[in-house]
Amino acid sequence: MIYEKYIRSLPLISPLISADANATFEPAATKAYRALEHMIVTLELAPSSFVTEGALIERLGLGRTPVREAIQRLAWEGLLDIRPRAGIAVAPLHAGDWLRVLDARRGIEVVLARSAARFVTREAADLFHEAALAMQKAVISGNVLAFIQADKALDEALAIAADNPFAARVAAPLQTHSRRFWYRYKADTGLAESAEHHVALIRSILDGDEEGAAKDAKKLMALLRGHAEVAATR
């Protein structure tokens, strides 16, 4: 497949450090956030459904304070809606909103791609390479959940490489919303095509090609927008 050609052609870097050797302490609030975000993106917490703080605490097996912090962060990002005396509402999922998310996301992705190609470090390059390989494995096995995780890892590598925390903070919630829409409307057929575009972007970044990275970011956003336009007409 085309995406395998891109992965094979990525610049050689040092062998990846094992997950155990690379592990770092993760605060409980971050664990809670990642778990809840994943549950929202993969629709385990159904759109427009209601949950309680207590139910989420029991489900995650974490303390009240970290779960509450995660809920507040997700509310700020528009993925949860805290309603006093009514519970916590999971954001609805309207196909037409995917277009709005992508329109907001497009420009910031180009900024991040350009900056990443300019400032990418060895550490960030390792993260990109790991994300690309994880994405390849997910496509080969047809594992949608693994693909979602690889896509998030790629976005986090992009944020690190770009060295622009302001742009990264704007992009992160838009990326999460976009993953949620993609999972709902395109996950059954879109793995290989999406991987091809993501890996092309990684290649341009690792080559230090700012213009190429910008073009690849635009192509990726155009691909997603095409999917969103189809979803909006269903």
Side-chain angles (χ1 to χ4, degrees):
M1 293 183 180
I2 296 175
Y3 67 88
E4 291 175 325
K5 176 192 71 177
Y6 280 121
I7 290 175
R8 288 196 299 269
S9 65
L10 288 175
L12 293 177
I13 57 177
S14 62
L16 296 174
I17 300 172
S18 69
D20 290 339
N22 215 12
T24 57
F25 172 76
E26 188 173 53
T30 303
K31 288 182 180 179
Y33 172 82
R34 286 184 178 276
L36 287 177
E37 182 199 50
H38 184 73
M39 291 163 67
I40 294 169
V41 166
T42 59
L43 312 184
E44 186 178 341
L45 290 177
S48 301
S49 66
F50 279 83
V51 292
T52 65
E53 183 181 279
L56 293 178
I57 290 170
E58 183 177 353
R59 198 162 178 175
L60 297 177
L62 296 170
R64 182 175 299 277
T65 297
V67 173
R68 182 169 290 175
E69 289 180 11
I71 291 170
Q72 290 173 343
R73 180 176 170 187
L74 289 162
W76 180 84
E77 293 179 351
L79 291 160
L80 294 176
D81 182 13
I82 303 170
R83 300 180 183 181
R85 296 181 296 279
I88 302 166
V90 181
L93 200 59
H94 303 303
D97 286 340
W98 194 5
L99 292 168
R100 297 182 178 92
V101 168
L102 293 172
D103 285 346
R105 184 182 170 192
R106 182 178 182 274
I108 203 72
E109 290 290 342
V110 173
V111 169
L112 288 171
R114 283 184 181 276
S115 295
R118 187 183 314 138
F119 298 118
V120 65
T121 62
R122 184 65 171 269
E123 175 192 6
D126 284 351
L127 295 175
F128 276 123
H129 198 272
E130 188 172 358
L133 292 176
M135 195 167 279
Q136 178 195 36
K137 290 177 182 178
V139 173
I140 292 173
S141 64
N143 189 330
V144 176
L145 294 180
F147 186 90
I148 286 287
Q149 292 173 335
D151 182 67
K152 182 171 177 60
L154 193 159
D155 287 337
E156 290 176 342
L158 185 63
I160 292 170
D163 193 27
N164 186 334
F166 303 99
R169 286 171 188 155
V170 172
L174 295 172
Q175 290 164 342
T176 301
H177 279 281
S178 187
R179 265 191 295 277
R180 186 173 182 238
F181 281 108
W182 183 88
Y183 184 84
R184 167 61 180 84
Y185 293 106
K186 196 58 184 177
D188 56 340
T189 59
L191 292 186
E193 187 178 31
S194 181
E196 176 189 336
H197 281 71
H198 280 89
V199 176
L201 173 60
I202 292 174
R203 183 186 181 190
S204 292
I205 290 172
L206 296 186
D207 283 344
D209 182 357
E210 292 183 42
E211 288 302 319
K215 289 178 181 178
D216 287 328
K218 290 176 183 177
K219 288 179 181 178
L220 176 58
M221 291 300 103
L223 173 71
L224 293 175
R225 201 176 199 289
H227 296 332
E229 288 171 349
V230 172
T233 61
R234 290 179 181 174

